[in-house]
Amino acid sequence: MSLVTYLPGTTPLVLDSPHSGTDYPADFGYACDPAALRRAEDTHVEKLYGFAPDLGVAWIEAHFPRSYLDANRDTTELDVGLLDAPWPHPVATDPVVLSKVRLGKGLIWRCTDEGLSLYARKLSVAEVERRIAQCWQPYHAAVAQAIDAAHARHGYSIHINCHSMPAVASSHATDFPGLVHADFVVGNRDHSTASAALLRLVGEQLQAQGYSVSYNHPYKGVELVRRYGQPDADRHSIQLEINRKLYMDEQTLAPHAGFAPLQAQLRALVQRLLVADPRRL
């Protein structure tokens, strides 16, 4: 079974969900409570955007869980302390880049958002290399291909990196533990991965529907927007975080009555983006 789904589109819009995977590989070898790992998922994000392919929007979805490998991290963002031997590949040294690694949330997770250790063992270099080859590389290849195709067709591309977040930040989730999140966080790495006008369009569309919106805090966007967002080349990438309280019970993970109304508003946002040419905003 493929660990990545890529559905090509016909429009300038590309959506991807790197963290909603629920297929736990047999070689994971974790030692913590499976329910704790489930809370790490961007639960139901792929269902919220299930309408997108029918609108001609390219869709990329990871089926592997983010706790197994986080496709929204660079391959250099590795906690080498997890390994049983020296890592033979480059490792990031920038303290800002390594902030998530220090929290246990690098390419390979060390702990859950609550600080619970995932492993009671060291990982081998070979198994981490295998995760990169089977998960990270095909996921990024699909995103890059979709954006290239959208840009070639239309002269510009809009990439929305789709996520969800807990209502309140946990102790090891971000550098802001206990922060009460807005309904949406819209990020473009301080206008470096998408134009300010496009970021504002997304936020104002959501605010017009009655949602609270935060810009670039506490989530600016990470690897999947950093790597593919080039607004000067008419390639725009935005990370969009949805507060899980809007659509699900965070304890049971079950969708609640808010799911359908939220999905309708996301569809309206996507339809707005389909007629928004960032070159003319």
Side-chain angles (χ1 to χ4, degrees):
M1 181 177 61
S2 173
L3 293 175
V4 177
T5 287
Y6 168 34
L7 303 176
T10 58
T11 70
L13 189 56
V14 175
L15 303 184
D16 84 287
S17 178
H19 291 163
S20 58
T22 60
D23 296 342
Y24 284 72
D27 65 358
F28 197 157
Y30 59 85
C32 64
D33 178 6
L37 286 182
R38 292 297 316 276
R39 288 194 292 274
E41 300 163 7
D42 281 356
T43 310
H44 307 310
V45 163
E46 82 289 354
K47 300 182 183 70
L48 283 169
Y49 293 97
F51 58 84
D54 289 341
L55 297 177
V57 176
W59 174 256
I60 302 97
E61 173 187 345
H63 298 291
F64 55 88
R66 69 188 299 194
S67 51
Y68 180 73
L69 177 134
D70 190 340
N72 205 24
R73 301 287 158 202
D74 186 59
T75 54
T76 64
E77 295 179 61
L78 183 66
D79 183 347
V80 295
L82 286 168
L83 306 178
D84 65 2
W87 182 244
H89 308 291
V91 177
T93 57
D94 185 335
V96 176
V97 172
L98 290 173
S99 63
K100 282 287 191 175
V101 177
R102 290 193 297 271
L103 288 169
K105 302 296 168 43
L107 177 73
I108 306 294
W109 279 28
R110 185 181 71 246
C111 64
T112 67
D113 282 345
E114 293 74 32
L116 180 66
S117 295
L118 262 66
Y119 299 101
R121 64 183 182 92
K122 294 288 187 178
L123 280 64
S124 72
V125 167
E127 69 179 306
V128 174
E129 290 176 329
R130 186 165 58 250
R131 293 185 192 187
I132 292 171
Q134 294 179 347
C135 300
W136 195 97
Q137 290 175 351
Y139 192 88
H140 278 260
V143 172
Q145 182 179 343
I147 292 172
D148 285 347
H151 191 273
R153 281 192 304 268
H154 300 279
Y156 70 94
S157 58
I158 298 174
H159 164 222
I160 304 297
N161 183 225
C162 306
H163 296 267
S164 69
M165 59 187 172
V168 180
S170 298
S171 61
H172 289 65
T174 70
D175 290 324
F176 306 96
L179 179 68
V180 177
H181 291 139
D183 293 332
F184 287 87
V185 177
V186 191
N188 66 350
R189 294 181 67 85
D190 297 322
H191 311 313
S192 66
T193 66
S195 70
L198 185 63
L199 190 80
R200 187 167 59 251
L201 180 151
V202 172
E204 289 176 354
Q205 170 75 24
L206 295 168
Q207 288 171 320
Q209 305 306 321
Y211 295 115
S212 60
V213 175
S214 176
Y215 295 96
N216 284 306
H217 180 74
Y219 303 104
K220 295 179 184 294
V222 203
E223 185 63 14
L224 281 156
V225 298
R226 185 201 67 79
R227 183 173 287 259
Y228 302 110
Q230 299 174 278
D232 290 345
D234 298 313
R235 295 168 179 256
H236 301 265
S237 289
I238 287 173
Q239 180 171 297
L240 184 61
E241 296 271 0
I242 305 172
N243 196 315
R244 293 172 193 156
K245 71 178 184 181
L246 296 175
Y247 67 92
M248 63 176 273
D249 184 309
E250 292 190 70
Q251 298 305 310
T252 67
L253 308 186
H256 58 51
F259 184 96
L262 173 62
Q263 187 179 54
Q265 299 302 339
L266 291 173
R267 186 184 184 100
L269 172 63
V270 166
Q271 290 173 320
R272 177 71 182 88
L273 289 171
L274 287 173
V275 296
D277 186 336
R279 298 169 297 183
R280 296 176 174 84
L281 293 179

